[in-house]
Amino acid sequence: MARASLAGRTLLDLAGTATTASLEALGPAQWSALCAMAALHRMGPWLHSRHGANPAIPENVRHQWASDYRRAALAALAQHADCGAALALLEAQGFKPIALKGAFLSRHAYPDAALRPMRDIDILVPAERVLAAFEALIAGGYIIEKQSKIALEDAARLDKHMPPLTMPLGTCLELHGRLMERDGRLEYASPEASEADVRERSINLDGIRYPAPTDMLSHLIVHAVYGHRFDCGPLLLTDVHFLAAHHSIDWDLLWEQAHAQNWAAGGALVLALVRHYHASAALAPHHAEPASPTQATMDLARDLLVQDYTAKKNARFIATVMTGGFSQARNLVGGRIRLAASEDLVIDRAQDGGRAAWTLAKLRDVAVSLADPAQRRQARQLAQFRRWLEN
């Protein structure tokens, strides 16, 4: 199996609090690749906090990370204000919103909110009320970023979250009616938590409702491994490290859920990675935890943590062809279409030029990806990871 690039391995070691990076072999090209990878995965602020004064790192690289940190600090202020305003609006109208992932981690796990940049704010409301909550936000001045290809009432039934909204200070908001995709939407089974239990166990900090730490950790693992195949990047490891270090985790409950919902293997893999890079004392092995993953599986996960998430759609398509043939690939591409058809919903392809034009454009994109050695390698790694999950 091809190992992660020198830049990728070094990035992971630099981001770890218990690992030492070997920097002697890095030339200008590798440093440039490492910086691009760090920017892609929002690692600049964290690397600045760890290595801002490290003379072994080129000055221009450290300046870039310092700039990333300053931008993240300013963005965190706007995002916190936007998040609070959206939650207050939804709470006032009885939607009982719960803020997910970054909104909690940046304020209540990391030592500094700027160290955990967010691409968007995720808020969960009861599935049966997600459309009404979405309409309440629009009435409050929130703007739909992109026209939906299905009616909003159908999106509320079919999708994990509603179309993204732009908040007053420019933050992107994803309003969720579900924690994970509906089973049948993806080309593999999606683990599903009991959202009623998550809501019942939720906690209130500073007037904001969040999942309990154990449910937050479960969601981080399932979201990263089964929903995203690790394309969420190395921040996953610092997320888990800081969450477990600063909050009490009910490990009996977590592993009970993991085995019942069939994500115990993915959970063991994530915790093994966090132990390696952060040596976290809060992550002692549990009697119900599966055996440690092999070194080959660890190496594969490292590759995927630094993959190019912007190319994930085509890489996943190619990976699915490799493992399941074109019938499985058709399921991947057509998952939303298939679910829509089963419920007599219509997906409007007019903005794509029609169904035929959309299909041709997709095939052209895949052909371009097949010509790119890096994307072919990414697809092979995703295919190998899918086989590991299935086994």
Side-chain angles (χ1 to χ4, degrees):
M1 184 193 71
R3 288 289 308 277
S5 68
L6 176 60
R9 294 197 305 273
T10 304
L11 172 62
L12 290 169
D13 285 337
L14 286 171
T17 55
T19 46
T20 301
S22 178
L23 306 178
E24 296 78 8
L26 269 67
Q30 286 81 20
W31 278 113
S32 178
L34 190 153
C35 274
M37 206 175 290
L40 185 69
H41 291 294
R42 300 167 289 158
M43 294 299 296
W46 173 244
L47 294 171
H48 167 69
S49 75
R50 295 278 301 146
H51 302 286
N54 185 347
I57 294 175
E59 186 176 11
N60 67 306
V61 173
R62 287 183 283 128
H63 282 174
Q64 178 60 54
W65 293 345
S67 177
D68 292 342
Y69 173 82
R70 289 191 294 270
R71 284 196 299 271
L74 291 172
L77 294 173
Q79 289 169 341
H80 184 62
D82 267 340
C83 183
L87 290 166
L89 185 156
L90 293 169
E91 189 69 46
Q93 299 190 40
F95 292 108
K96 298 182 179 179
I98 296 178
L100 303 174
K101 298 197 300 288
F104 172 82
L105 295 164
S106 63
R107 293 285 163 178
H108 299 289
Y110 281 74
D112 177 352
L115 303 182
R116 211 299 185 172
M118 293 183 283
R119 293 193 181 100
D120 52 44
I121 300 288
D122 297 296
I123 295 176
L124 176 70
V125 298
E128 67 275 11
R129 302 200 66 200
V130 67
L131 178 59
F134 188 77
E135 292 172 340
L137 290 168
I138 292 174
Y142 293 68
I143 300 170
I144 299 179
E145 290 189 355
K146 186 178 180 181
Q147 180 183 350
S148 176
K149 294 177 182 177
I150 60 176
L152 292 177
E153 57 268 26
D154 294 338
R157 293 163 55 194
L158 192 64
D159 294 337
K160 177 175 70 171
H161 60 75
M162 299 297 287
L165 293 168
T166 299
M167 304 164 86
L169 297 180
T171 308
C172 175
L173 167 64
E174 288 187 351
L175 186 70
H176 288 246
R178 299 179 181 85
L179 288 170
M180 287 292 291
E181 297 285 2
R182 286 180 54 182
D183 205 15
R185 172 70 186 272
L186 303 176
E187 82 278 19
Y188 49 85
S190 300
E192 283 195 64
S194 167
E195 291 176 15
D197 290 343
V198 170
R199 185 168 293 280
E200 183 177 341
R201 288 190 294 262
S202 64
I203 59 175
N204 192 305
L205 296 175
D206 301 330
I208 295 177
R209 191 180 289 106
Y210 303 102
T214 303
D215 290 319
M216 184 72 75
L217 178 54
S218 300
H219 181 54
L220 286 173
I221 292 169
V222 173
H223 178 265
V225 179
Y226 298 88
H228 284 264
R229 306 299 172 95
F230 283 118
D231 68 34
C232 46
L235 274 180
L236 167 68
L237 307 186
T238 48
D239 283 353
V240 174
H241 168 62
F242 281 119
L243 175 61
H246 292 101
H247 296 275
S248 176
I249 305 296
D250 184 340
W251 293 105
D252 290 336
L253 175 61
L254 182 132
W255 287 113
E256 179 185 333
Q257 292 175 334
H259 287 287
Q261 297 163 15
N262 200 30
W263 53 265
L269 177 56
V270 169
L271 296 188
L273 289 164
V274 178
R275 289 178 186 127
H276 174 81
Y277 286 104
H278 295 283
S280 176
L283 297 177
H286 187 272
H287 65 84
E289 184 175 341
S292 298
T294 65
Q295 188 59 50
T297 303
M298 293 280 284
D299 287 341
L300 176 60
R302 290 184 180 101
D303 291 340
L304 295 176
L305 280 168
V306 293
Q307 68 181 291
D308 181 358
Y309 81 88
T310 64
K312 66 180 180 181
K313 288 186 178 180
N314 288 345
R316 278 180 59 188
F317 178 86
I318 298 167
T320 302
V321 172
M322 290 177 175
T323 55
F326 281 97
S327 62
Q328 282 292 317
R330 186 167 61 249
N331 287 342
L332 171 62
V333 175
R336 193 187 198 209
I337 297 170
R338 187 174 59 256
L339 280 178
S342 71
E343 300 191 14
D344 296 323
L345 309 182
V346 176
I347 297 179
D348 181 8
R349 293 291 180 193
Q351 55 187 285
D352 300 317
R355 177 73 180 274
W358 174 82
T359 302
L360 288 173
K362 180 65 181 177
L363 291 173
R364 282 196 297 268
D365 284 346
V366 171
V368 170
S369 296
L370 284 169
D372 182 346
Q375 290 195 43
R376 291 201 304 271
R377 182 171 59 253
Q378 183 178 352
R380 287 195 299 271
Q381 291 164 348
L382 287 167
Q384 186 171 355
F385 189 61
R386 178 180 173 178
R387 294 187 191 102
W388 180 81
L389 288 176
E390 289 174 344
N391 292 329

